[in-house]
Amino acid sequence: NAGVTQTPKFRVLKTGQSMTLLCAQDMNHEYMYWYRQDPGMGLRLIHYSVGEGTTAKGEVPDGYNVSRLKKQNFLLGLESAAPSQTSVYFCATQRGMEAFFGQGTRLTVV
Amino acid sequence: KQEVTQIPAALSVPEGENLVLNCSFTDSAIYNLQWFRQDPGKGLTSLLLIQSSQREQTSGRLNASLDKSSGRSTLYIAASQPGDSATYLCVRSNDYKLSFGAGTTVTVRA
């Protein structure tokens, strides 16, 4: 979707490796979110941010860390990847009560 | 706790039939309601947004209604086409919180 860009789009990690997913938005939105989507489980909130310099835990935060040093960027980090973190990750922003999503990052941990 | 329920989970219809997708909520807090489409392996594309003060929105063959008193939203797709095959998600937004349904997977047979 225009305005929310996720990097990378695909990645394969070995167990124990670390990586950072980047979400960048150019819409000046305050709220940003990281979700994971797994078959049969829908979208689950990992972490979110209500503004620059703030972060908060969502429904499934374990194994992930986030940072929002700049308003336009929301980073999701995996310090030591596990096979259970194999998923599709979506970043979203919110303006008023309208949500906008990135195209997703497909992560496989082997 | 399932805050947003979508029924049916899957739907298969012949081309030309009208589609009716349902979404219901467990509480009556003030919220907006957004319908998304997700194609396999892709991101979420916003279809319609119904703000809290509105009762319905229309875009082409799509019409979405919102009945806050009963906590329900319905997405109608008229004269379905094979290109309408996708998963449809309803998302309720309240302040900074987004609540997702599990989706209805639609198959339109040519």
Side-chain angles (χ1 to χ4, degrees):
Chain A
N1 287 336
V4 182
T5 304
Q6 291 183 230
T7 308
K9 291 183 170 52
F10 303 93
R11 185 72 185 269
V12 178
L13 284 179
K14 293 182 179 179
T15 297
Q17 286 185 321
S18 63
M19 77 163 294
T20 300
L21 283 67
L22 170 63
C23 177
Q25 55 114 346
D26 60 3
M27 297 177 285
N28 204 36
H29 292 172
E30 293 291 342
Y31 299 159
M32 297 187 73
Y33 310 82
W34 275 107
Y35 292 91
R36 60 178 291 174
Q37 186 178 39
D38 302 290
M41 303 191 74
L43 281 121
R44 293 181 293 169
L45 181 63
I46 304 171
H47 286 278
Y48 65 96
S49 170
V50 300
E52 180 179 315
T54 73
T55 62
K57 294 180 179 180
E59 181 185 356
V60 288
D62 294 344
Y64 305 95
N65 58 75
V66 288
S67 65
R68 183 98 181 267
L69 298 179
K70 294 182 179 180
K71 186 176 184 178
Q72 63 267 34
N73 296 334
F74 194 28
L75 280 65
L76 178 70
L78 286 74
E79 291 186 348
S80 180
S84 61
Q85 294 178 303
T86 294
S87 187
V88 180
Y89 293 84
F90 286 100
C91 174
T93 70
Q94 189 174 353
R95 176 191 67 197
M97 293 188 186
E98 183 175 7
F100 302 82
F101 285 82
Q103 287 302 299
T105 296
R106 186 172 295 275
L107 175 66
T108 302
V109 182
V110 298
Chain B
K1 175 184 171 186
Q2 184 70 31
E3 297 183 3
V4 181
T5 303
Q6 289 190 246
I7 295 173
L11 187 60
S12 178
V13 299
E15 182 177 5
E17 273 200 13
N18 297 330
L19 290 164
V20 180
L21 310 180
N22 297 297
C23 182
S24 61
F25 325 101
T26 56
D27 68 68
S28 59
I30 296 173
Y31 54 84
N32 286 4
L33 197 290
Q34 204 166 351
W35 283 93
F36 288 86
R37 167 185 174 138
Q38 186 176 27
D39 293 286
K42 303 294 184 182
L44 281 71
T45 301
S46 182
L47 298 174
L48 292 168
L49 168 68
I50 310 175
Q51 297 184 13
S52 57
S53 59
Q54 298 173 325
R55 294 182 65 86
E56 69 175 342
Q57 280 288 325
T58 298
S59 176
R61 295 184 293 111
L62 277 60
N63 174 275
S65 64
L66 177 62
D67 183 346
K68 297 179 72 175
S69 62
S70 64
R72 294 181 181 178
S73 177
T74 303
L75 177 66
Y76 299 89
I77 303 177
S80 62
Q81 303 168 359
D84 294 328
S85 298
T87 296
Y88 293 83
L89 293 165
C90 69
V91 180
R92 193 191 74 173
S93 58
N94 181 10
D95 195 9
Y96 64 84
K97 183 178 180 181
L98 302 176
S99 299
F100 295 84
T104 294
T105 299
V106 171
T107 302
V108 181
R109 308 186 302 273

